[in-house]
Each structure stands twice: as structure tokens, then as C-alpha cells.
Amino acid sequence: MRITGISTHVVGTPWRNLTYVQVHTDEGLTGVGETRMLGHTDALLGYLSEAAANHIVGSDPFAVEDLVRRMKYGDYGRAGEIVMSGIACVEMACWDIKGKALGVPVWQLLGGKVTDKVKAYANGWYTTERTPEAYHKAAQAVVERGYRALKIDPFGTGHYELDQAGTSYAVSLIEAVRDAIGPDAELMLEMHGRFSPSTAVRLAKDLAPFRPAWLEEPVPPENLKALEKVAAKVDMPIATGERIHDRIEFRELFESQAADIIQPDVGHIGGILETRKLAATAETHYMLVAPHNVGGSVLTAASLQVAACTPNFKILEHFNDFADAEIKKVVKGAPQVVDGYFEVSHEPGLGVELDTDAAAEFPQQQARFDLWAEGWEKRAPKAAGK
């Protein structure tokens, strides 16, 4: 079997474009992969066009390791977010083809499953007025839908510092959310790399009474010494890793022991097997894995293949019940959350199919999302030039 070509389909919303890649073969089997890019979708499409000619067409889709190696190193450049995301889309599509050809789910090819269901946490649910009352109501809707975990960034446009008024307001939002979801649901506290170490530590202590399940990206991701400083001074798990695009770059994080939970994005770190390898290394450092997952249903399905066979997998993020829920229709067999969990699929490959006709109903947009803009939480981007 050989790859004859790829096709790309961009599903657009105002704040995110989802890129789907179909890999086609000479035996009629087609696999699908997905990633979400912020502000670089056209660059990704350009890379994939060149990679198709240079590396992909003519390759054996069963030889995943060889194809990934050639795409990553064969251009003699240092692979960053765009290259690793392109690799991820093609890689997961190859696993999809391999599973379909052999009649088994991808997790069966990676060692077999260790669980029948995977806990989910909701994100994108707070696209409402930024008030305690509105957040209380929205959080209640999350738990009424069966979720037992959710995540929130309550810090507005905070950057490095947050004044006392902003701090008090953030506390009021978290207090409202905890009241709405009760004492047993997990509440993940997101900082989006906003703060200096001292501010992150202060805020973590202010919010400790509401028992966050983790503190996510408390400081910008480039300086792990700063993360170590936070980890040494807070009494809650630290989660990070969504903006690391090569598993080799996690080495310093593992050595520092500054994180308790790593959050690779399957769609940015080179795909399914790269994530599984990273999870195995995390297990030797007694760290849990909770992938960043802000894409659509194909990326969710790929992340679930990793979850099914990974002993130290904690939980999976899910946007698509709350933010742009209508885009779920572009994928047949889209994973669903029932009573707070995803069921592990037993369908061959990834267990999903892209509906290209439905995808065409959501054309690519000039998606733009600024986490430091007023009202960012509504996921309604500012107009161009504003």
C-alpha cells in the first residue's frame, strides 16, 4: 500500500480554524487527521503542500516511524509548531489507515486498552457575561449535562500582575463556580501563562480554598526556572505543556520535576505515537497526562486512542459541547461525553470519518483570538485593526 496524495479541509469559526487532512492510498483506504492552528492556518497548508511532494506521496502508511522521521528531519530545519502540527495530521491519518486495514482500533496497535472509559472536562462553557451570577448559571449547566470536571481562566486580561480589584473579582468568579458545581467536581484553574511567579503564587494561595484540581500554565512557558519557583511555593498540582511542540523539549521539564501533569497537544506534538512515547517517559517521572484538546472531533478521537492505552492518563479536555457545538456534525461517529466520560471506541482506526460536504458548510475564516483582549472569554474576536 502506498500514499497517493493528501487533501486538506479547513473548518472555520470566528475564533478558530480546524484543519483536517485526509491521506489517500492506492488501495482505496483513506485516513484522517486534524489540528487547530491559531493564526497560522495558511502557513500550515503551505507546509503540507510542500511536504506532500517531498515526503508523503509514495510512502507506506504503515511505516509511521519512518514517515515522521523524514518529515521532521528531512528538510534540515528545526521543527516547530507548524511542522509538528503538519506531521501530527498526517501521522494520525496513517494510524487511521493502518487500523482500518487491520480491522482494529488504533489503541489495539499501541499495546491494548487499559480502560473502557475516559473522564472528560468541559472548556469553552463560559462564553457569557463575566459575572459571578452568569458563571454560576453556566457552570450549573455543565454539571447538569453530566460533566464532573471543568476548567476556567477567571483572570480577565491579567498580564504579569493583577491588582487587588482584579484579584477580588477573580475570586468571586471561582467562588460562584465552586458553589454551582458542588464540592466533588474537579475545577481546573487556568492561567494561560499570564503571570510572573510571585503573582501566580499569590493568586494560587487566594484561590486554594476552592480546591483547584490543578494550576495550569501559571507563568509563560519559555522559562522553566520560573515554573520551578511557582511549584516550590504552591500546594496544588501544576499542569503545563500545551505549547511544547517536540517531546524532546519536555526533557528539561521532567528533570525539573516542576509539573505534576503534562498537557501535550496530540495535534501539535507530532501525533499519536509521539504522544504515547511522551506519556511513557512521564510515567517514569510519576507524572500524569491530560492532553490539551481544543480541536474538533477527529483530534478528540485521536487523543482517546492514546488515553485508552496509557496507564497514567488522567482526563481529556473537551470544547465541542459548548463552543461551536454545531461543528461536531462534520465528523461521523464523533466521540460523545456521557455522564462525564467518553467511552473507548472499538471501531477500526480512529473510529470516525470526515464528512467533507458538512465541512464545506464552515469555510475558513480569518479566525483571531487574543487572550489579552477585553472580553476574550466570549471567544468573539476583535475586528481586524482594532
Side-chain angles (χ1 to χ4, degrees), residues 223-244:
N223 184 343
L224 289 181
K225 288 293 185 182
L227 187 66
E228 288 182 56
K229 189 174 180 180
V230 176
K233 295 181 178 180
V234 301
D235 188 21
M236 63 183 69
I238 299 292
T240 195
E242 70 181 67
R243 289 190 274 180
I244 302 177

Side-chain angles (χ1 to χ4, degrees), residues 119 143 147-149 178 180-187 210-211 213:
K119 192 172 184 180
V143 294
Y147 281 87
R148 303 173 189 180
R178 173 54 79 190
I181 67 177
D184 298 326
E186 288 190 278
L187 174 57
F210 307 105
R211 293 176 293 104

Side-chain angles (χ1 to χ4, degrees), residues 175-226:
E175 182 178 28
V177 172
R178 173 54 79 190
D179 181 70
I181 67 177
D184 298 326
E186 288 190 278
L187 174 57
M188 288 73 174
L189 186 60
E190 167 74 271
M191 286 188 168
H192 280 124
R194 293 187 179 281
F195 299 118
S196 67
S198 61
T199 300
V201 169
R202 175 176 62 80
L203 291 170
K205 291 180 178 178
D206 287 342
L207 291 164
F210 307 105
R211 293 176 293 104
W214 70 50
L215 185 67
E216 181 170 338
E217 260 198 344
V219 294
E222 296 87 359
N223 184 343
L224 289 181
K225 288 293 185 182

Side-chain angles (χ1 to χ4, degrees), residues 15-16 18 36 265 292-296 299 317 319-320 379:
W15 71 279
R16 59 175 176 168
L18 308 179
R36 184 276 336 233
D265 188 312
H292 179 249
N293 180 40
V294 69
L299 189 55
E317 184 173 21
F319 267 80
N320 298 315
R379 304 191 183 272

